[in-house]
Amino acid sequence: MLAMLLGTAAPVAAQQPAAEARVDTAIARARAFIRDTMGKAGIPGVSITVMRHGRIVWSEGIGWADLEQRVPVTPLTRFRIGSVSKPLTAAAIGLLVESGRLDLDAPVQRYVPAFPEKRYPVTTRQAAGHLAGIRHYQGDEFLSTRRFATVAEGLTIFRDDSLLFRPGTRFHYSSYAWNLVSAVIEGASGRPFLAYMREAVFQPLGMRQTVADHVDSLVPFRARWYTADSASGIVNAPYVDNSYKWAGGGFLSTTEDLARFGQAMLDNALLRPETFRLLTTSQRTLAGEETNYGIGWATRKDAKGRLTFAHSGGSTGGTAFLVLYPAEQLVVAVLANGDGPFVGATPRIAEMFLE
Amino acid sequence: MLAMLLGTAAPVAAQQPAAEARVDTAIARARAFIRDTMGKAGIPGVSITVMRHGRIVWSEGIGWADLEQRVPVTPLTRFRIGSVSKPLTAAAIGLLVESGRLDLDAPVQRYVPAFPEKRYPVTTRQAAGHLAGIRHYQGDEFLSTRRFATVAEGLTIFRDDSLLFRPGTRFHYSSYAWNLVSAVIEGASGRPFLAYMREAVFQPLGMRQTVADHVDSLVPFRARWYTADSASGIVNAPYVDNSYKWAGGGFLSTTEDLARFGQAMLDNALLRPETFRLLTTSQRTLAGEETNYGIGWATRKDAKGRLTFAHSGGSTGGTAFLVLYPAEQLVVAVLANGDGPFVGATPRIAEMFLE
Amino acid sequence: MLAMLLGTAAPVAAQQPAAEARVDTAIARARAFIRDTMGKAGIPGVSITVMRHGRIVWSEGIGWADLEQRVPVTPLTRFRIGSVSKPLTAAAIGLLVESGRLDLDAPVQRYVPAFPEKRYPVTTRQAAGHLAGIRHYQGDEFLSTRRFATVAEGLTIFRDDSLLFRPGTRFHYSSYAWNLVSAVIEGASGRPFLAYMREAVFQPLGMRQTVADHVDSLVPFRARWYTADSASGIVNAPYVDNSYKWAGGGFLSTTEDLARFGQAMLDNALLRPETFRLLTTSQRTLAGEETNYGIGWATRKDAKGRLTFAHSGGSTGGTAFLVLYPAEQLVVAVLANGDGPFVGATPRIAEMFLE
Amino acid sequence: MLAMLLGTAAPVAAQQPAAEARVDTAIARARAFIRDTMGKAGIPGVSITVMRHGRIVWSEGIGWADLEQRVPVTPLTRFRIGSVSKPLTAAAIGLLVESGRLDLDAPVQRYVPAFPEKRYPVTTRQAAGHLAGIRHYQGDEFLSTRRFATVAEGLTIFRDDSLLFRPGTRFHYSSYAWNLVSAVIEGASGRPFLAYMREAVFQPLGMRQTVADHVDSLVPFRARWYTADSASGIVNAPYVDNSYKWAGGGFLSTTEDLARFGQAMLDNALLRPETFRLLTTSQRTLAGEETNYGIGWATRKDAKGRLTFAHSGGSTGGTAFLVLYPAEQLVVAVLANGDGPFVGATPRIAEMFLE
């Protein structure tokens, strides 16, 4: 009858285009895989955003943002992104380098005079590449409940400790090194770190959901945090205040904001191509060993030889992963409000969208 | 330079940049004005998105998406956009004109052979400009509860009625004329109307929240609909099925999707500049009178002489407004789930962001 | 050290009492069984309340009250109880019998003069026992969308139809017979049916969540209705207006309200023991056959020979079950917002609490 | 008589009974008053339950249980009840006195041998009446974040401090005295305090929503806590762990549970009349001065001379009030998740239901 309606013209094709159908299949597989992994890992809620060729092809909340109040995760839910804060902070480094306000190879004291001289000079490049020998968390420091009012105050935790080794000789992951990086950003930019991040990175990229995890402020759509306990199942995560480490582990964000950020990096929408290359080129130790880490980005090939730029994040009650496949133009962001083993899932999810 | 923060030097500037502060003031004023207007008009929930210079500067849900379940409006809430569907459909017209598949001045029967010949020929340009003499709703048609399975079926409501006047002689607003337009789009594109909209307009522009208001499908974050009743206050709106008028009044969307759509029009991200000009240039009657309506866009100057492209929408339980200020690079989208007098509020809100 | 604290006294016993532990086990089993059954039957949300020996031992919402808005079921969620409305209405009959205002064996016309005389006289006892020969739904009547303003208007659907058989000769389930019953209640009480139910039954029993399912009124915590579709999975149930059948199938309630109602019946808190016995004693056909149905209550023995008083209910987008085990002092109420096969689950759940 | 409805006779009376209408007026006034007071005091959410003559006549949640997630308060929302925990604990004292297991005038060491002897003997009656001279919070103790695993451990905070005065000589409000009371309950009952409260008080009274405020456990419907800040408006309340004071300030509850508890006290449903009289009879100092406080209940006359039994509660991020008017058979329970000045509102609300 519709043939009639249209007379002799070609029939209206009702079938879904093939590319769209393939994406739908990948989504269905990934959703099932995520649900299954959540169950095994004791993760209450997950948010995921997948961008392909610059377009969001999937963005969904799965499970619960808040178990007590039974609030479902949505794409607006803000999670602790932990160390995925580092690639965001790295963008600020890139901007300051581009504008000539930051010399990555100057001693950090040029920007942070109050930071004590150590046995060896320390540069921002080394600190941001986990090559400076600055120590990581000790004991219960990860569960800190103290509020640090300024970035400078956050340096006091470790600034009087000796370097673990001569800078450049070893890769030693350190979130505290990024406390120092944020002090450098303040010195170079003349703005408080959080204000600079907002004005120079988040606002220009439209990352309206990305903010510091201030415990007292009312942050709309902030998830609640959980931890899996072998005895009692899932319980509320211990109370922590992450104000001591904004730069390396203190931001809240959504998967859409993170995916857009990743895409903006690939598109050179904020940074020049050579600057993003600087951030994503593996540094080397003095002995010439690749660290597979540039400045705020881990740089690796996946099992099939595809180049990836990525960062994972682990927080009290949070798990995060952001991965970019530059050649395939794929960006995947995954955030969870539990700290069970979930991070490893992301590459498998990415794989489903590449097949 | 942070010589400084920690030493004797110039303090890190903590104050908010002036532009940011001005926007915050506008938001506070607009929010108060909206709340006040909602109270007076008996509107349960409102969503608003404001873009300035291509960036979302405000996006917020106010009030309730669902009064029975007490679900708050968020930027993800989908509303009935009513006749704001027309500018979306107009983008599809623009694409088909650009690709040469649609001649606006051909008789509609070239694309819709089943549409009966009338006393005068009718063209797509006339139908889309409310100049064709096709009638509008009669009686209770606006409260239709019947499900129309196809666009062709939606033509049956009015296709055997006579034209109200000789095409071109008068402006007579008609949503049914847009039923005909959507049949033309099917004929010209060779795709079902809703599929073509999704593939050609919504997906390329990332409008993932914009869908047809199918009553039986599960549509995540779809609001509930209300009407203000002088006796009992706010009540549930009558049940309707809008499947008879997708093109002119049947889509659901969010203010973020609509604002992004508006911005994409200003940025010529989907259509060539001359095509958008075609859609937003006021048509004239045969007598040469301006209609202040192009193709799916009302074209007017505001009280201060600023050019605006806009469309309002009124649905059972819904109110919508989308306005573009091309010179000022301002886009405002407002959606509400009540049908009280709210539309007039949008220009006043826009004004707050222009001062 | 605690031994010390308490000196020589008996140690503080930390273990859970045995009865409490048994209930916890039953709850865990029942919850798993319900989740499993929901998955198979395509039921989005379920509420359950179990009372034992007059005390609520379990009350929980499982799944979703609203799939589009992702609102979880809680014990406050109101569901369509369908024919479980009949035992509620039966309590009103009981009250009117007790006060001498209603003679169950008088022709209904004594209370409803406008009801046409039939070939045989019809009594309230017969109508309430599905023995009157009044017909049930025909065709699409179950999907009625018309609003009936009064009980009298609801009689018009069937009042001019002939009886299906001579009253008393057969059991033929009929919700319309209960329309007639509600008209009798109006006649006998001198109050509108819904007002009488509220004043005489719901308020005295504290059933604050039990109300008529008015489609336009705002009813807090009213669930949304779903139907399982073999092609598309779960979809929104068709729109219906149940105002034509308040008495036999038009109430909304919660499982806590229903369980409390059931317990009040067992406790003779509203009706005298002999009155409840009247309602729960199986009527017989003229030929002496048991109908296993009294007045608004089905009366049966379960597989293990335990006496039960129960009613099931099926609505558009709703399933309901209320069962009382008088000897075991067990009351179970189950409500669901889907119409898949779920009712049969209730006796199995009851069993778990009886073992 | 409906001779009538359908014929020529007297119309069915549709008007609402007068008592019902009066209650509706009181509810409307009280709701407006509460909203207004919430706005002034910076209180996000309030729950209220009013019982009259043993029946809940109003139970409603107003505002937000969770501002970040925008979860509305419902009658299921659990709040910190602070010192309204004391009347609950007092019921346990009453039960132990009734069964002869507790002698209120014995030295507390009979039940808590580990509690150090003081300069003067201390009795349970004195401790529970704030007459023992035990100190109250000092410094920041109210903001304690430490987890106390046992009641015994909670004694350590103050047990080595001297009495403030000779027991009986002065009224000095002390929540720590109730820590001691809970240790007495453990000693007398042979059960852990929380287990005894659950088994002896909460379960028999059907108070299924009343539990200890364990910070790590998942407690369904637990509200979030707020504090009004003159600079920033409402902020999240500081993190606290109330495990050091279950008996005197550590329970979560709902207004329905509290109202039912209050009614059960008036109805002697748990305790004998003389026992409840014991709890609600003002104690006196040795000098014969009335303290207006019995055992866990403040006993006062209101402005119009009506006798009231009541307790208020103030928590970090919580405000609570429970009041009983025994002669008028009125019980009002109010809970809020802010700590602004709200408590004073309750008597005014009660007044509205007494006029």
Side-chain angles (χ1 to χ4, degrees):
Chain A
M1 184 200 151
L2 183 67
M4 240 173 51
L5 176 73
L6 296 164
T8 56
V12 169
Q15 59 287 32
Q16 198 188 25
E20 211 180 301
R22 264 201 312 279
V23 168
D24 284 355
T25 305
I27 290 171
R29 285 183 58 203
R31 190 187 287 120
F33 171 70
I34 290 171
R35 287 191 181 284
D36 184 56
T37 309
M38 288 170 73
K40 288 175 186 157
I43 302 277
V46 163
S47 182
I48 179 161
T49 297
V50 176
M51 293 188 88
R52 194 77 205 271
H53 302 298
R55 228 154 76 191
I56 294 180
V57 295
W58 186 32
S59 191
E60 184 170 331
I62 300 174
W64 304 100
D66 184 334
L67 285 171
E68 295 197 341
Q69 310 266 13
R70 291 207 270 172
V71 177
V73 177
T74 78
L76 289 172
T77 305
R78 302 192 212 201
F79 292 84
R80 285 180 176 160
I81 65 169
S83 294
V84 178
S85 300
K86 292 182 179 76
L88 308 187
T89 301
I93 296 175
L95 288 169
L96 292 167
V97 168
E98 285 188 358
S99 64
R101 280 181 290 172
L102 173 59
D103 177 350
L104 287 172
D105 297 313
V108 294
Q109 284 82 1
R110 183 184 298 175
Y111 308 101
V112 194
F115 192 74
E117 303 278 345
K118 301 291 172 186
R119 189 165 165 197
Y120 307 96
V122 169
T123 69
T124 303
R125 191 190 301 271
Q126 290 163 341
H130 305 291
L131 286 161
I134 291 169
R135 76 169 176 87
H136 197 40
Y137 309 124
Q138 278 174 355
D140 266 357
E141 286 176 355
F142 191 67
L143 295 173
S144 170
T145 62
R146 177 178 153 199
R147 175 166 185 177
F148 289 79
T150 62
V151 161
E153 204 180 316
L155 296 181
T156 59
I157 303 168
F158 64 95
R159 72 171 179 182
D160 295 327
D161 296 333
S162 302
L163 299 183
L164 300 178
F165 46 78
R166 186 180 155 204
T169 56
R170 286 174 46 200
F171 180 89
H172 178 84
Y173 191 87
S174 169
S175 282
Y176 289 144
W178 284 73
N179 285 22
L180 182 54
V181 166
S182 62
V184 165
I185 289 172
E186 291 199 337
S189 70
R191 293 285 290 150
F193 172 68
L194 292 179
Y196 187 70
M197 289 299 292
R198 194 176 70 241
E199 297 157 14
V201 180
F202 302 152
Q203 286 185 351
L205 295 181
M207 297 167 68
R208 288 171 301 113
Q209 315 304 328
T210 306
V211 295
D213 185 17
H214 289 295
V215 292
D216 55 344
S217 305
L218 296 182
V219 178
F221 309 117
R222 173 159 51 182
R224 305 293 166 183
W225 320 116
Y226 302 96
T227 196
D229 180 280
S230 54
S232 16
I234 295 173
V235 296
N236 291 310
Y239 172 79
V240 296
D241 183 323
N242 289 328
S243 57
Y244 67 98
K245 57 165 179 182
W246 299 133
F251 287 107
L252 297 169
S253 190
T254 63
T255 52
E256 291 196 5
D257 262 18
L258 291 184
R260 266 195 281 266
F261 171 79
Q263 189 65 41
M265 292 297 107
L266 293 183
D267 293 348
N268 306 304
L270 187 77
L271 301 175
R272 294 179 202 139
E274 64 272 23
T275 310
F276 187 55
R277 211 172 304 126
L278 167 73
L279 303 180
T280 54
T281 299
S282 167
Q283 296 196 47
R284 291 169 185 266
T285 60
L286 290 177
E289 250 178 323
E290 294 279 2
T291 62
N292 289 321
Y293 197 97
I295 292 178
W297 286 97
T299 300
R300 279 216 180 69
K301 301 228 160 155
D302 77 0
K304 302 211 172 155
R306 305 183 196 104
L307 181 63
T308 66
F309 308 139
H311 218 292
S312 65
S315 308
T316 303
T319 306
F321 206 84
L322 173 64
V323 61
L324 283 51
Y325 290 76
E328 291 77 11
Q329 284 288 305
L330 175 74
V331 176
V332 180
V334 175
L335 294 169
N337 62 345
D339 45 23
F342 194 75
V343 153
T346 308
R348 290 194 51 187
I349 295 166
E351 193 70 30
M352 296 174 192
F353 287 85
L354 288 171
E355 278 158 12
Chain B
M1 185 182 175
L2 178 73
M4 332 205 172
L5 177 68
L6 301 165
T8 56
V12 169
Q15 60 285 31
Q16 198 187 25
E20 209 179 302
R22 264 200 312 278
V23 168
D24 284 355
T25 305
I27 290 171
R29 284 183 59 203
R31 190 188 287 119
F33 170 70
I34 290 171
R35 286 192 181 284
D36 185 55
T37 309
M38 288 169 73
K40 288 174 186 157
I43 302 276
V46 164
S47 182
I48 180 163
T49 297
V50 176
M51 292 188 90
R52 193 78 205 271
H53 302 299
R55 227 152 76 191
I56 294 179
V57 295
W58 186 32
S59 191
E60 184 171 330
I62 300 174
W64 302 101
D66 184 334
L67 285 171
E68 295 198 340
Q69 310 267 12
R70 290 208 271 170
V71 177
V73 177
T74 78
L76 289 173
T77 305
R78 303 192 211 201
F79 292 84
R80 284 181 178 158
I81 65 170
S83 294
V84 178
S85 301
K86 292 182 179 77
L88 308 188
T89 301
I93 297 175
L95 288 169
L96 292 167
V97 169
E98 285 187 0
S99 64
R101 282 181 288 174
L102 174 59
D103 177 350
L104 288 172
D105 297 314
V108 294
Q109 286 81 0
R110 181 183 302 174
Y111 309 101
V112 193
F115 193 74
E117 303 278 344
K118 301 290 170 186
R119 188 163 166 201
Y120 309 96
V122 170
T123 68
T124 303
R125 190 188 303 271
Q126 290 163 340
H130 306 290
L131 287 160
I134 292 169
R135 74 169 177 87
H136 197 40
Y137 310 125
Q138 278 174 355
D140 266 356
E141 286 177 353
F142 191 66
L143 295 174
S144 170
T145 61
R146 175 177 154 201
R147 175 166 186 178
F148 290 78
T150 62
V151 161
E153 203 179 318
L155 297 181
T156 59
I157 304 168
F158 64 94
R159 71 170 181 183
D160 295 325
D161 296 334
S162 303
L163 299 183
L164 301 177
F165 46 78
R166 185 178 156 206
T169 57
R170 285 174 48 200
F171 179 89
H172 178 83
Y173 191 86
S174 168
S175 282
Y176 289 144
W178 283 74
N179 287 21
L180 182 53
V181 166
S182 61
V184 166
I185 289 172
E186 291 200 338
S189 70
R191 294 284 290 148
F193 172 68
L194 292 179
Y196 187 70
M197 288 301 291
R198 195 175 70 240
E199 295 156 16
V201 180
F202 303 153
Q203 286 185 351
L205 295 180
M207 297 167 70
R208 288 171 302 114
Q209 314 304 327
T210 306
V211 294
D213 185 16
H214 289 293
V215 293
D216 56 342
S217 306
L218 297 181
V219 179
F221 309 118
R222 173 158 54 181
R224 305 292 166 182
W225 322 116
Y226 302 96
T227 196
D229 180 279
S230 55
S232 16
I234 295 173
V235 297
N236 291 311
Y239 172 80
V240 297
D241 183 323
N242 290 327
S243 56
Y244 66 98
K245 56 167 179 180
W246 299 132
F251 287 108
L252 298 169
S253 191
T254 63
T255 53
E256 292 197 3
D257 263 17
L258 291 184
R260 265 193 283 266
F261 171 79
Q263 188 65 41
M265 292 296 107
L266 294 182
D267 293 347
N268 306 304
L270 187 76
L271 301 175
R272 294 180 201 139
E274 64 271 23
T275 310
F276 186 55
R277 212 172 304 127
L278 166 73
L279 304 181
T280 55
T281 299
S282 167
Q283 295 196 48
R284 290 169 186 270
T285 61
L286 291 176
E289 250 178 322
E290 295 277 2
T291 63
N292 290 321
Y293 198 96
I295 292 178
W297 287 96
T299 300
R300 280 218 180 70
K301 302 226 160 157
D302 76 2
K304 302 212 171 155
R306 305 182 195 105
L307 181 64
T308 65
F309 307 140
H311 218 292
S312 64
S315 308
T316 303
T319 306
F321 206 84
L322 173 64
V323 60
L324 282 51
Y325 291 75
E328 292 77 11
Q329 284 289 304
L330 175 74
V331 176
V332 180
V334 175
L335 294 169
N337 62 345
D339 46 23
F342 193 76
V343 153
T346 307
R348 289 195 50 189
I349 295 166
E351 194 69 31
M352 295 174 192
F353 287 84
L354 288 171
E355 278 159 12
Chain C
M1 185 198 149
L2 183 67
M4 241 174 52
L5 176 73
L6 297 165
T8 56
V12 169
Q15 58 289 33
Q16 198 188 27
E20 208 180 302
R22 264 200 312 278
V23 168
D24 285 355
T25 304
I27 290 171
R29 284 184 58 204
R31 189 188 287 120
F33 171 71
I34 290 171
R35 286 191 181 285
D36 185 55
T37 309
M38 288 169 73
K40 286 174 187 158
I43 301 277
V46 164
S47 182
I48 180 163
T49 298
V50 176
M51 293 188 89
R52 193 77 206 271
H53 302 299
R55 228 153 75 190
I56 293 180
V57 295
W58 186 32
S59 191
E60 184 171 331
I62 300 174
W64 302 101
D66 184 334
L67 284 171
E68 296 198 341
Q69 310 266 12
R70 291 208 270 171
V71 178
V73 177
T74 78
L76 289 173
T77 305
R78 303 192 211 201
F79 292 83
R80 285 181 177 158
I81 66 169
S83 294
V84 178
S85 301
K86 293 183 178 77
L88 308 187
T89 301
I93 298 174
L95 288 169
L96 293 166
V97 169
E98 285 187 0
S99 64
R101 281 180 289 173
L102 173 59
D103 177 349
L104 288 173
D105 297 313
V108 294
Q109 286 82 0
R110 182 184 300 173
Y111 309 100
V112 194
F115 192 75
E117 304 278 345
K118 301 291 171 186
R119 188 161 165 202
Y120 308 95
V122 169
T123 68
T124 304
R125 190 190 303 270
Q126 290 162 341
H130 306 290
L131 287 160
I134 291 169
R135 74 169 177 87
H136 197 40
Y137 310 124
Q138 278 174 354
D140 266 356
E141 286 177 354
F142 191 67
L143 295 173
S144 169
T145 62
R146 175 177 154 201
R147 175 166 186 177
F148 289 78
T150 62
V151 161
E153 203 180 317
L155 295 182
T156 59
I157 303 168
F158 64 95
R159 71 171 179 182
D160 295 326
D161 296 333
S162 303
L163 299 183
L164 301 177
F165 46 79
R166 185 179 156 207
T169 57
R170 284 174 48 200
F171 179 89
H172 178 83
Y173 191 87
S174 168
S175 282
Y176 289 144
W178 284 74
N179 286 21
L180 182 54
V181 166
S182 62
V184 166
I185 289 172
E186 291 200 337
S189 70
R191 293 285 290 149
F193 172 67
L194 292 180
Y196 187 70
M197 289 300 292
R198 194 175 71 241
E199 296 156 14
V201 180
F202 303 153
Q203 286 184 351
L205 295 181
M207 297 168 68
R208 288 172 301 112
Q209 315 304 327
T210 306
V211 295
D213 185 17
H214 289 295
V215 291
D216 56 342
S217 306
L218 296 182
V219 178
F221 309 116
R222 173 158 53 181
R224 304 294 167 182
W225 321 116
Y226 302 96
T227 196
D229 180 279
S230 55
S232 14
I234 295 172
V235 297
N236 291 310
Y239 173 80
V240 297
D241 184 323
N242 290 328
S243 56
Y244 66 99
K245 56 166 179 181
W246 299 133
F251 287 108
L252 297 170
S253 190
T254 63
T255 52
E256 292 197 4
D257 263 17
L258 291 184
R260 266 194 282 265
F261 171 79
Q263 188 65 41
M265 292 298 108
L266 294 183
D267 293 348
N268 305 304
L270 186 76
L271 301 174
R272 295 180 201 140
E274 64 271 24
T275 309
F276 186 55
R277 212 172 304 127
L278 166 74
L279 304 181
T280 54
T281 300
S282 168
Q283 295 196 48
R284 291 169 186 267
T285 61
L286 292 176
E289 249 177 323
E290 295 276 2
T291 63
N292 290 321
Y293 197 97
I295 292 179
W297 288 96
T299 300
R300 280 216 180 70
K301 302 226 160 157
D302 76 1
K304 303 212 171 156
R306 305 182 195 104
L307 181 64
T308 66
F309 307 139
H311 218 292
S312 64
S315 309
T316 303
T319 306
F321 206 84
L322 173 64
V323 60
L324 282 51
Y325 290 76
E328 292 77 11
Q329 284 288 304
L330 176 74
V331 176
V332 180
V334 175
L335 294 169
N337 62 343
D339 45 24
F342 194 76
V343 153
T346 308
R348 289 195 50 188
I349 294 165
E351 193 70 31
M352 295 174 192
F353 286 84
L354 289 172
E355 278 158 11
Chain D
M1 186 183 176
L2 180 72
M4 330 196 176
L5 177 69
L6 300 166
T8 56
V12 169
Q15 57 289 30
Q16 198 187 26
E20 209 180 303
R22 263 201 313 278
V23 168
D24 284 355
T25 305
I27 290 172
R29 284 184 59 204
R31 190 188 286 120
F33 171 70
I34 290 171
R35 287 191 180 284
D36 185 56
T37 309
M38 287 169 74
K40 287 175 186 157
I43 301 277
V46 163
S47 182
I48 179 162
T49 297
V50 176
M51 293 188 88
R52 195 76 205 272
H53 303 298
R55 227 154 75 190
I56 293 180
V57 295
W58 186 32
S59 191
E60 184 170 330
I62 300 173
W64 304 100
D66 184 334
L67 285 171
E68 295 198 340
Q69 311 267 12
R70 292 208 270 172
V71 177
V73 177
T74 78
L76 289 173
T77 306
R78 303 192 211 202
F79 292 84
R80 285 181 176 159
I81 65 169
S83 294
V84 178
S85 301
K86 292 182 179 77
L88 309 187
T89 301
I93 296 175
L95 288 169
L96 292 167
V97 168
E98 285 188 358
S99 64
R101 281 180 289 173
L102 173 59
D103 178 349
L104 287 172
D105 297 314
V108 294
Q109 285 82 3
R110 182 183 300 173
Y111 308 100
V112 194
F115 193 74
E117 302 279 344
K118 302 290 171 186
R119 190 163 164 200
Y120 308 95
V122 169
T123 68
T124 303
R125 190 190 302 271
Q126 290 163 340
H130 305 290
L131 287 160
I134 291 169
R135 74 169 178 87
H136 197 39
Y137 310 124
Q138 279 175 353
D140 266 356
E141 286 176 354
F142 191 67
L143 295 173
S144 170
T145 62
R146 177 178 152 199
R147 175 166 186 177
F148 290 78
T150 62
V151 161
E153 203 180 317
L155 296 181
T156 60
I157 303 168
F158 64 95
R159 72 170 180 183
D160 295 325
D161 296 333
S162 303
L163 299 182
L164 300 177
F165 47 78
R166 187 180 154 202
T169 57
R170 286 173 48 200
F171 179 89
H172 177 83
Y173 191 87
S174 169
S175 282
Y176 289 144
W178 283 74
N179 286 21
L180 182 54
V181 166
S182 62
V184 166
I185 290 172
E186 291 199 337
S189 69
R191 291 287 290 151
F193 172 68
L194 292 179
Y196 186 70
M197 289 300 293
R198 195 176 69 240
E199 296 157 14
V201 180
F202 303 153
Q203 286 185 351
L205 295 180
M207 298 167 68
R208 288 171 301 112
Q209 315 304 328
T210 306
V211 294
D213 185 17
H214 289 294
V215 292
D216 55 343
S217 306
L218 296 182
V219 178
F221 308 117
R222 173 159 53 181
R224 305 293 166 182
W225 321 114
Y226 302 96
T227 196
D229 180 280
S230 55
S232 13
I234 295 173
V235 296
N236 291 311
Y239 173 80
V240 296
D241 183 322
N242 289 328
S243 56
Y244 67 97
K245 56 167 179 181
W246 300 133
F251 287 108
L252 297 169
S253 190
T254 63
T255 52
E256 292 196 4
D257 263 17
L258 290 183
R260 266 195 280 266
F261 171 80
Q263 189 64 40
M265 292 297 107
L266 294 182
D267 293 348
N268 306 304
L270 186 76
L271 301 174
R272 294 180 202 140
E274 63 272 22
T275 309
F276 186 56
R277 213 173 303 126
L278 166 74
L279 303 181
T280 54
T281 300
S282 167
Q283 295 196 48
R284 291 169 186 267
T285 61
L286 292 175
E289 249 177 323
E290 294 278 3
T291 63
N292 291 321
Y293 196 97
I295 291 178
W297 287 97
T299 299
R300 280 216 179 69
K301 302 227 159 155
D302 76 0
K304 303 211 172 155
R306 305 182 194 104
L307 181 64
T308 66
F309 307 140
H311 218 291
S312 64
S315 309
T316 303
T319 306
F321 207 85
L322 173 64
V323 60
L324 282 52
Y325 290 76
E328 292 78 11
Q329 284 289 303
L330 176 73
V331 176
V332 181
V334 175
L335 294 169
N337 62 344
D339 45 24
F342 194 75
V343 153
T346 308
R348 290 194 50 188
I349 295 166
E351 193 70 30
M352 295 173 191
F353 286 85
L354 288 171
E355 279 159 10

